[in-house]
Amino acid sequence: MEYGVVVFYSTSWALKAEKVAKEGGFEVKLIPTPRQISSDCGTALRFRWEDREALLDLLESKGVRIEGVHKI
Amino acid sequence: MSRFFASRIGIIVSGAIIGALAALLVLWGNPPNMGICVACFTRDTAGALGLHRAATVQYIRPELIGFILGALLGALLFKEFKPRSGSAPLIRFVLGFFAIIGALVFLGCPWRAYLRLAGGDLNALLGIAGFIVGVAIGVFFLKRGYSLGRSRPVGTAVGLVMPVFALILLLLLLFRVSFGENAPIFFSKSGPGSLHAPILISLAVGIVAGFLAQRTRFCTMGAIRDVIIMRDFHLLSGVLAFIVAAFLVNLAIGKFHPGFAPQPIAHSNHLWNFLGMVLAGMSFALAGGCPGRQFFMAGEGDGDAAIFIFGMLVGAAFVHNFNLAGVPDKIVDGKLVVGGPSLWGQIAVIVGLIIVAAIGWTMREK
């Protein structure tokens, strides 16, 4: 199982993204932003890498602002 | 090496080292149960600069200088020095201002709350409970959409302000500069401000802690926040290691004395220990980091964290100029007189709770 994380500018965006993603039926989990990605103590959204395109489309359509996407 | 610091073992080892050193600092001269207290040390530094004139709490604390320099070192070595700013700095100043009011009513920031617990001071339990409640309230606001907005990369100068300020403070301390008769830099001759480990030892401990904390993201507030938001125990494991290591060192050096009263530089006014730390917890949660973390972020170049620290510095000055601080318990004629904040201190905490709640309720990303 390959995972990716969506990284956000602030924790509140991460929380909103989790809500949107779960409502959209995606299997996601909030995790602390992986240390290797950032020294910021933010919150990231882990998702299944195969869901990448669909998830990012959904987040964009709901106005969720993201900082970036990384494979982990 | 990066992977070590990112790992669970890394943060546990780091937390244990910092906790052990904090307990040892008391052996080496720092005030009881106050090996490291970011709020108290900020207050002491404010006093040394003459921002307040409470004679018993005036001393430039090298630990804080070490935090900045150690974090800066870690950031530079691993290419994580990122000058950034712009995330509602004025609000962060206000949050720092009220965070330290809450902490000084309790007579400790979360670091000291854990160290007091590790020293047997059971009043810390009230403070920690209040702190957890405060962080939970902050999380409630986060879930509602609270945000101070993103910061943006800025010129290098922004990131160097705090390190340069720290170095200037170090020089003022090392050379005991005096700006005139009855003028700063002040050095307490009695009271907590007069109790300190040798400068170089304090500085070295601060640098080690700053480096480890920057590498691992050690944060006493984040530890609670991450458990509440996502049941993640990574940061908490570091904090628990901190407490256990400090406790074991205290046992070994005979500085573990369990009980409620009297405890050194503490009071057993349960309500205000609790409420003061609710205010502190809310403020640190809304500002995205415990006071230690704000110093470490400032060392990484975060200008917003630096402004929070200046808010704490000014808040500490207000606390002692306006008689807001918690007064320790005293023994008078063999009887315990419970301390706590003055009426002004209580009003300040209530006002702070309202203002910080208003910030949490209304601030959203534009």
Side-chain angles (χ1 to χ4, degrees):
Chain A
M1 178 70 60
E2 284 189 323
Y3 290 106
V5 286
V6 185
V7 190
F8 304 87
Y9 290 115
S10 69
T11 301
S12 47
W13 279 121
L15 292 168
K16 178 159 192 219
E18 187 204 22
K19 190 157 169 267
V20 165
K22 283 193 164 162
E23 278 166 6
F26 288 95
E27 192 189 306
V28 292
K29 183 176 188 240
L30 281 177
I31 61 169
T33 305
R35 181 66 183 85
Q36 293 93 321
I37 294 176
S38 166
S39 67
D40 276 339
C41 35
T43 310
L45 190 68
R46 192 190 70 175
F47 63 94
R48 287 159 51 164
W49 191 247
E50 61 200 27
D51 292 337
R52 185 166 166 262
E53 271 197 52
L55 176 63
L56 293 178
D57 282 342
L58 173 65
L59 292 179
E60 194 183 333
S61 71
K62 296 281 183 180
V64 175
R65 272 189 231 166
I66 72 172
E67 184 177 348
V69 184
H70 301 262
K71 197 166 187 196
I72 56 169
Chain B
M1 200 185 331
S2 296
R3 300 191 54 188
F4 171 74
F5 289 119
S7 69
R8 184 65 62 101
I9 266 283
I11 198 168
I12 287 177
V13 167
S14 299
I17 292 175
I18 300 174
L21 287 174
L24 285 170
L25 277 175
V26 177
L27 182 68
W28 294 328
N30 275 2
N33 289 342
M34 201 196 284
I36 294 177
C37 173
V38 187
C40 315
F41 287 1
T42 302
R43 181 268 320 274
D44 292 347
T45 304
L49 293 171
L51 301 183
H52 71 71
R53 297 300 166 110
T56 53
V57 280
Q58 296 174 326
Y59 180 70
I60 293 177
R61 293 279 178 185
E63 292 85 351
L64 298 183
I65 297 171
F67 277 8
I68 304 267
L69 298 179
L72 177 64
L73 181 68
L76 286 172
L77 281 178
F78 290 81
K79 302 201 195 324
E80 285 180 333
F81 179 70
K82 274 178 289 195
R84 55 197 185 268
S85 187
S87 169
L90 187 54
I91 295 294
R92 291 178 187 272
F93 181 90
V94 172
L95 289 173
F97 184 89
F98 285 109
I100 205 169
I101 289 180
L104 290 177
V105 160
F106 163 72
L107 289 173
C109 72
W111 288 59
R112 187 174 187 232
Y114 297 131
L115 289 173
R116 279 168 59 175
L117 186 66
D121 180 345
L122 298 178
N123 300 300
L125 291 171
L126 279 303
I128 292 169
F131 184 65
I132 293 173
V133 168
V135 174
I137 296 175
V139 169
F140 164 75
F141 288 128
L142 276 169
K143 290 191 169 166
R144 276 187 81 250
Y146 163 85
S147 169
L148 292 182
R150 50 176 290 211
S151 64
R152 287 178 165 74
V154 289
T156 309
V158 172
L160 291 178
V161 166
M162 199 49 103
V164 166
F165 180 62
L167 284 170
I168 293 175
L169 287 177
L170 184 59
L171 290 174
L172 292 173
L173 170 67
L174 284 173
F175 291 102
R176 296 187 76 95
V177 177
S178 172
F179 287 83
E181 195 141 345
N182 294 326
I185 300 296
F186 295 117
F187 291 81
S188 290
K189 296 190 177 39
S190 67
S194 66
L195 300 172
H196 51 83
I199 294 176
L200 291 180
I201 291 186
S202 287
L203 184 65
V205 170
I207 290 175
V208 168
F211 180 86
L212 292 175
Q214 190 278 329
R215 292 276 84 225
T216 59
R217 277 194 255 163
F218 184 85
C219 175
T220 60
M221 183 287 296
I224 311 285
R225 175 202 61 201
D226 286 357
V227 171
I228 296 178
I229 290 186
M230 46 193 159
R231 307 220 189 297
D232 187 279
F233 292 82
H234 181 77
L235 289 177
L236 184 64
S237 65
V239 169
L240 291 175
F242 174 90
I243 297 174
V244 168
F247 167 67
L248 291 175
V249 170
N250 281 334
L251 269 185
I253 63 177
K255 291 200 187 286
F256 180 77
H257 308 291
F260 276 99
Q263 287 282 351
I265 315 175
H267 64 76
S268 50
N269 191 323
H270 301 317
L271 174 66
W272 291 101
N273 277 332
F274 181 84
L275 285 179
M277 284 298 267
V278 170
L279 176 57
M282 273 172 76
S283 306
F284 294 128
L286 295 183
C290 78
R293 180 84 184 124
Q294 302 286 345
F295 274 82
F296 308 135
M297 291 197 289
E300 282 184 357
D302 192 325
D304 296 324
I307 298 227
F308 183 95
I309 292 171
F310 285 120
M312 286 204 294
L313 198 66
V314 170
F318 271 69
V319 163
H320 282 276
N321 285 337
F322 288 71
N323 189 27
L324 308 178
V327 169
D329 289 345
K330 279 191 276 276
I331 304 277
V332 177
D333 297 330
K335 283 168 94 164
L336 176 71
V337 175
V338 172
S342 67
L343 179 62
W344 290 120
Q346 297 174 11
I347 292 173
V349 169
I350 301 294
V351 167
L353 287 169
I354 295 171
I355 290 180
V356 173
I359 289 173
W361 189 265
T362 60
M363 288 301 295
R364 283 160 190 280
E365 181 126 30
K366 284 262 172 246

